[in-house]
Amino acid sequence: HHICHFPKNPYCPICVGANVPQKRFHRKSPDEKERAENFGDLVMVDHLVFGKEAEAGYDGETAAVFVADDATDLRDVVPVSSKSAEEAELAVKTFVGDKPVGAVFSDRSRELKAMAKRNRWVHKRATPHRPEAHGKLQIRVRWTKEATRCNLRQSRLPHKWWTFAGRHAAMARNVWRKGTDGKSAYQRRHPDSPFTGQVVPFGMGIKFRPTKPNREQLLEFDARGVDGIFLGWDIQPGMAFKGDYVVAAWSDFQELGLDAKVPVHVVREIIVPDEVRYPIADAERAMGLRLPLPAEQQQQPAGDGAEAVGQPLTTGEASEPAGATDFTFHPIRKYAGRLRAKYAPYRTSSEWIA
């Protein structure tokens, strides 16, 4: 046995000390899982950190605080300027509103431990460097990241708009996704105040009534419905919706370009058309631009009049694109043909959303 130490001998101190296997995490049944009963009893917190300069948000944010309630499954993504205990504390208190915090759960980061200690909150901690030890939190973070990428992809807004795309992704799930009890997370949090807002895809073209300072710039008989892009809902402390929406004017994108810091407006009146259209994506197609191609196809010419993908949109009003939205798939994927056949009936964006 001392020659090769095989098979492993549980009574051999060399075998036991040299090879320590990792303990397996077994999935628990729903009856064995601990679940909070009321909103705020257990608040799960995690940091999303963006280290690259190009990943900075709309106002230069370099991180975000992901907050989720265990009892109601309500969640939010709060962009912050830095990964600090003060920013995390403000995000959690804004999330819960006037409700007390029973306990917080985190991955033992230094900032979150300082936050819990300062507020004298009970701090439940996961095993360090073991993602499976806090899978309930990680699966929510992963879904929010994936939905944020989809929001930016369908709207064709630059990466810095993740500050709005992330909050839209979280809030859309709060009001749209129904649980096994037939209620959404927003309904569980506000049982007496149902969500009365309009559920609109991120980056969709809408019309909105400008605020008074912007209306004064219009001529007397100009239309009061301005073309805009939907960015999300204005959420009050306690995750309450009071009827305000976050939008941007389409004319500002045309005048300033995609790379500029286009002004954002908080308005109450919006008009959502029946047809789902994404103005920036439509303008790209009208100008001859294409979605990013696989690496092996990027060498091919894009056609007459085409320009580089990602070039700032600084032209005037683009003409309507010919034909409906065409959803194409990666040509070398194993199941590309099967996907094309499966989604062939859904050719227009409105049918796709439906």
Side-chain angles (χ1 to χ4, degrees):
H1 180 76
H2 289 274
I3 296 175
C4 61
H5 288 275
F6 183 82
K8 179 180 178 180
N9 186 349
Y11 301 101
C12 172
I14 303 300
C15 291
V16 174
N19 301 289
V20 181
Q22 178 174 307
K23 186 177 180 180
R24 296 182 58 186
F25 276 80
H26 298 277
R27 185 184 298 273
K28 295 181 180 180
S29 65
D31 297 334
E32 296 176 336
K33 294 181 180 179
E34 297 182 4
R35 182 102 187 194
E37 295 183 359
N38 302 312
F39 178 79
D41 288 352
L42 179 60
V43 179
M44 300 178 286
V45 190
D46 197 9
H47 270 119
L48 309 178
V49 182
F50 313 101
K52 300 178 183 178
E53 183 179 354
E55 293 177 334
Y58 179 82
D59 286 321
E61 297 92 344
T62 58
V65 179
F66 179 84
V67 193
D69 177 64
D70 185 56
T72 61
D73 200 27
L74 200 72
R75 60 194 71 182
D76 192 15
V77 179
V78 184
V80 294
S81 58
S82 63
K83 183 187 176 185
S84 63
E86 293 78 13
E87 294 279 13
E89 177 183 349
L90 180 60
V92 173
K93 289 184 176 180
T94 303
F95 177 78
V96 298
D98 57 355
K99 296 292 184 180
V101 176
V104 294
F105 176 84
S106 75
D107 58 356
R108 294 177 183 259
S109 74
R110 180 180 56 193
E111 296 80 9
L112 296 182
K113 287 194 292 186
M115 173 197 70
K117 183 177 181 181
R118 177 184 305 171
N119 292 276
R120 297 184 178 274
W121 290 335
V122 177
H123 190 194
K124 297 185 177 182
R125 303 170 297 277
T127 305
H129 310 293
R130 297 286 289 273
E132 59 270 24
H134 50 285
K136 185 186 295 187
L137 175 59
Q138 287 300 311
I139 192 65
R140 288 168 170 78
V141 172
R142 190 189 77 176
W143 185 92
T144 304
K145 284 184 176 181
E146 292 174 349
T148 303
R149 294 190 192 105
C150 291
N151 277 346
L152 293 175
R153 177 72 175 181
Q154 76 177 1
S155 67
R156 305 303 293 164
L157 282 167
H159 189 274
K160 67 180 178 182
W161 293 86
W162 65 260
T163 53
F164 299 96
R167 298 206 75 179
H168 178 282
M171 190 60 185
R173 189 177 179 95
N174 290 339
V175 302
W176 186 261
R177 179 83 174 183
K178 299 294 191 298
T180 55
D181 58 353
K183 298 181 180 179
S184 66
Y186 192 91
Q187 287 177 295
R188 300 188 199 102
R189 171 64 182 93
H190 304 283
D192 300 328
S193 302
F195 182 80
T196 57
Q198 301 191 62
V199 181
V200 186
F202 182 80
M204 178 181 168
I206 60 168
K207 289 185 180 296
F208 68 93
R209 185 174 187 265
T211 55
K212 184 176 181 180
N214 295 288
R215 286 200 308 272
E216 292 176 351
Q217 300 178 11
L218 300 175
L219 300 180
E220 181 65 27
F221 296 107
D222 280 345
R224 267 29 184 182
V226 178
D227 291 331
I229 294 178
F230 186 81
L231 299 176
W233 304 267
D234 185 63
I235 306 302
Q236 299 293 328
M239 297 300 293
F241 175 73
K242 300 298 184 180
D244 295 330
Y245 301 91
V246 183
V247 300
W250 173 232
S251 59
D252 289 338
F253 282 100
Q254 293 175 309
E255 179 181 353
L256 302 175
L258 289 178
D259 289 341
K261 189 175 181 179
V262 176
V264 172
H265 309 279
V266 177
V267 299
R268 182 165 288 262
E269 300 85 5
I270 65 172
I271 300 175
V272 182
D274 294 334
E275 184 178 6
V276 179
R277 303 293 295 272
Y278 300 96
I280 298 178
D282 291 346
E284 286 186 353
R285 286 191 295 272
M287 295 168 61
L289 303 183
R290 297 293 182 267
L291 299 181
L293 297 173
E296 66 275 7
Q297 295 187 8
Q298 290 181 359
Q299 305 271 343
Q300 299 179 7
D304 296 337
E307 303 185 23
V309 175
Q311 179 176 342
L313 185 61
T314 57
T315 62
E317 253 183 66
S319 59
E320 294 294 327
T325 303
D326 185 15
F327 290 91
T328 57
F329 297 86
H330 198 298
I332 63 173
R333 284 182 179 169
K334 183 177 180 181
Y335 301 108
R338 190 177 303 175
L339 287 172
R340 281 193 292 269
K342 179 178 180 181
Y343 293 106
Y346 306 97
R347 304 299 289 184
T348 64
S349 54
S350 59
E351 291 173 340
W352 177 268
I353 294 299

